[in-house]
Amino acid sequence: TWANIVFHKLVPLDYRIATIAQNFLIPFWRDLLLGLGFVDASRETLASLLRKGLSVAIVVGGAEEALDSRPGTNDLTLGTRLGFVRLAL
C-alpha cells in the first residue's frame, strides 16, 4: 500500500491499520483509507491478516471515550472490548 511504500525505509515492516467498518461507507473517504493501508477492524479481517504474518495496529477509542474525555487525562474504556486482546494472544 501507499503507506508501506512511503514508510518502508523508516520502518521495514508490513503492517495495516484497522479501524471501524463505518469509516468505509463514504465513497471517496473509503478509497483514501484503503490507499493508506487501513483495513476493517472485524475479527475475520484481523485474523486473516495475522495468519498472513502481517502486523496490525488497531485504532482504539470511540463515542464512549469521547463523551468521557477530560483535559489532562487519557482514559480508555476496555471493560467489554477485549476480543482484540484474545485474538492477539
Side-chain angles (χ1 to χ4, degrees):
T1 64
W2 180 84
N4 285 334
I5 293 168
V6 171
F7 296 110
H8 185 70
K9 291 186 189 252
L10 296 174
V11 182
L13 181 68
D14 197 4
Y15 64 93
R16 299 294 182 272
I17 302 170
T19 186
I20 59 172
Q22 286 81 354
N23 281 328
F24 297 101
L25 297 178
I26 303 169
F28 295 108
W29 181 248
R30 173 187 186 275
D31 296 331
L32 175 66
L33 290 178
L34 290 173
L36 291 173
F38 282 74
V39 295
D40 174 34
S42 69
R43 175 181 288 274
E44 297 79 20
T45 302
L46 297 178
S48 172
L49 291 170
L50 292 172
R51 276 193 300 275
K52 292 177 183 177
L54 298 174
S55 296
V56 180
I58 300 176
V59 178
V60 295
E64 192 170 346
E65 285 85 356
L67 293 173
D68 192 31
S69 64
R70 294 179 304 281
T73 64
N74 294 313
D75 298 329
L76 202 58
T77 305
L78 291 177
T80 60
R81 303 175 185 168
L82 297 175
F84 70 94
V85 175
R86 285 191 296 274
L87 184 62
L89 294 175

